Amino acid sequence: MRIYALWCAAAVFTACGFAACGMERTSYASPATEAPGFMVGKPLQDSTLAAVVIGPAGSDTLLAQQYLGNVRYLTQQFPQVMLDAEQSSPILREIVLRFVNGYAAERAAERAGIEVAEERVDQVMDSYQMPYGSAEAFRADLAARGETYETFRDAVRQRVVLDSLYATVADTVSAPSPEAIAAFRLDRRELRNAQHILFMVPAGATVEEDAAARAKAEAVFDSLDAGADFTELASRLSEEPGAERTAGNLGFFSKGQMVEPFETAVYALADSGDVAPEPVRTQFGYHVIRYLGQRADPSMTLARAGQELAAERRRAAEVDALEQWQSGLTVRLNPSLVNVDL
């Protein structure tokens, strides 16, 4: 197996944050969430398999029991998230992508001649086992999740390989110039506050479902033109989890923290209270957006700007590298187990 549940648990917070508020906060795992560079092949019919990845150097399989073990673990840890189809979909997709990316990374490491010291793998394994107090308790917990010690160690080794690969990618990224850092700081110091009404569109939605969501968003504009209060509409109509409490207020954010279409729409508005002229489509659905004002971020120092700009450049390089590693791969899914769009 090429995935384990503790990595997926980290993905829950990332994916849940996307689904809950439309915000795409940056994270080390961000390359895994980008559009894949592999092809999707014919569906699998073998009930023992969840996914297969095929490349020029061979193939690898994600067994059904391993995939379902991860899903069960995540459901136990985060029941409200995993039992909601909208919020769980990107998490399930992440499980598959991590499996595929692990295979791609191993092949890339082989081509690059990267070797991982088994002592390093042992150290990481020890760090996971330590909280359990004994090897027996650790193995018992793995077994409850459909794992074995050997498959877990294999996944840990893969993570170490991936980290080593990303380190080589980071070494190719040049440090930003003082001028670039100053421009980045100026750009990111402006924080904006926005409020939105979201009509969600599920992954793999039909044309009719998409049109229905857009129609609901367009109807909001008619209500606003008739004098309705945006906050009241957001509390009552928005399909974003928690909207009845937050009224769709996302708080202050800087550039780079929102998905691109949403960010573009917010930063195109000039005056507090302005509403974007039409529904904005993102991967979450249709948003009716209201701009609530701006303020400067005093914490955006030159030092912080330099760190964030360098990190963004590294992530961009990682995304490009991962796409290259995935090139030539074909992924096949068992649709009876894995109902996600890649």
Side-chain angles (χ1 to χ4, degrees):
M1 192 188 65
R2 297 290 185 261
I3 188 92
Y4 61 91
L6 291 179
W7 293 353
C8 296
V12 169
F13 300 107
T14 304
C16 180
F18 297 168
C21 64
M23 294 183 70
E24 185 174 6
R25 296 197 179 275
T26 52
S27 71
Y28 179 76
S30 60
T33 68
E34 297 292 331
F38 53 79
M39 296 183 294
V40 178
K42 294 181 180 180
L44 294 171
Q45 303 300 322
D46 188 338
S47 62
T48 67
L49 301 178
V52 172
V53 57
I54 306 165
S59 63
D60 197 7
T61 58
L62 176 62
L63 298 179
Q65 67 179 28
Q66 295 166 338
Y67 174 79
L68 293 174
N70 279 280
V71 174
R72 282 194 300 271
Y73 173 80
L74 292 170
T75 302
Q76 292 168 359
Q77 298 298 312
F78 313 99
Q80 291 184 331
V81 172
M82 293 302 293
L83 294 177
D84 184 291
E86 297 291 345
Q87 296 188 63
S88 64
S89 179
I91 300 167
L92 299 178
R93 180 177 186 267
E94 187 79 2
I95 294 176
V96 177
L97 286 178
R98 286 174 181 247
F99 158 68
V100 176
N101 294 343
Y103 174 89
E106 287 182 335
R107 303 291 83 78
E110 291 172 0
R111 293 192 296 270
I114 294 176
E115 297 183 0
V116 173
E118 294 305 312
E119 292 79 5
R120 174 55 184 157
V121 180
D122 291 336
Q123 290 174 354
V124 178
M125 286 295 292
D126 289 343
S127 70
Y128 282 114
Q129 182 173 300
M130 188 178 301
Y132 290 86
S134 68
E136 291 75 17
F138 181 51
R139 289 174 181 265
D141 186 64
L142 290 176
R145 290 188 252 140
E147 295 274 12
T148 67
Y149 183 90
E150 289 71 25
T151 57
F152 190 93
R153 191 179 192 283
D154 186 44
V156 167
R157 186 180 188 282
Q158 179 210 68
R159 179 73 247 180
V160 175
V161 168
L162 188 58
D163 287 344
S164 299
L165 268 176
Y166 278 151
T168 64
V169 172
D171 289 340
T172 67
V173 179
S174 59
S177 67
E179 293 77 15
I181 293 173
F184 182 87
R185 176 176 181 254
L186 182 63
D187 191 48
R188 297 301 171 92
R189 281 197 75 190
E190 180 186 341
L191 300 179
R192 290 209 165 197
N193 183 207
Q195 184 180 23
H196 73 148
I197 302 172
L198 171 63
F199 296 99
M200 302 184 84
V201 178
T206 63
V207 173
E208 292 76 16
E209 289 172 327
D210 187 282
R214 182 179 178 89
K216 287 190 287 186
E218 290 174 341
V220 169
F221 288 93
D222 295 333
S223 297
L224 292 173
D225 290 341
D229 179 73
F230 193 102
T231 296
E232 189 277 329
L233 291 177
S235 299
R236 181 164 54 88
L237 299 178
S238 181
E239 297 172 2
E240 173 192 8
E244 67 281 357
R245 175 179 51 83
T246 65
N249 192 321
L250 297 173
F252 283 92
F253 53 86
S254 65
K255 288 185 178 178
Q257 289 185 299
M258 291 292 192
V259 290
E260 187 174 349
F262 192 101
E263 175 184 290
T264 299
V266 172
Y267 278 84
L269 299 173
D271 298 319
S272 179
D274 284 353
V275 175
E278 60 183 8
V280 176
R281 180 68 159 92
T282 73
Q283 62 260 50
F284 309 106
Y286 286 95
H287 308 254
V288 180
I289 300 172
R290 183 188 184 207
Y291 171 46
L292 297 179
Q294 68 182 64
R295 63 178 173 83
D297 181 6
S299 69
M300 183 55 72
T301 63
L302 281 173
R304 177 182 166 189
Q307 293 171 349
E308 292 194 5
L309 179 56
E312 284 197 7
R313 289 185 175 185
R314 287 195 299 271
R315 281 192 294 271
E318 289 172 0
V319 170
D320 291 342
L322 184 57
E323 186 174 341
Q324 292 178 10
W325 301 337
Q326 293 173 340
S327 178
L329 301 184
T330 298
V331 178
R332 299 177 62 192
L333 301 181
N334 183 342
S336 65
L337 292 177
V338 186
N339 185 22
V340 298
D341 291 325
L342 293 179

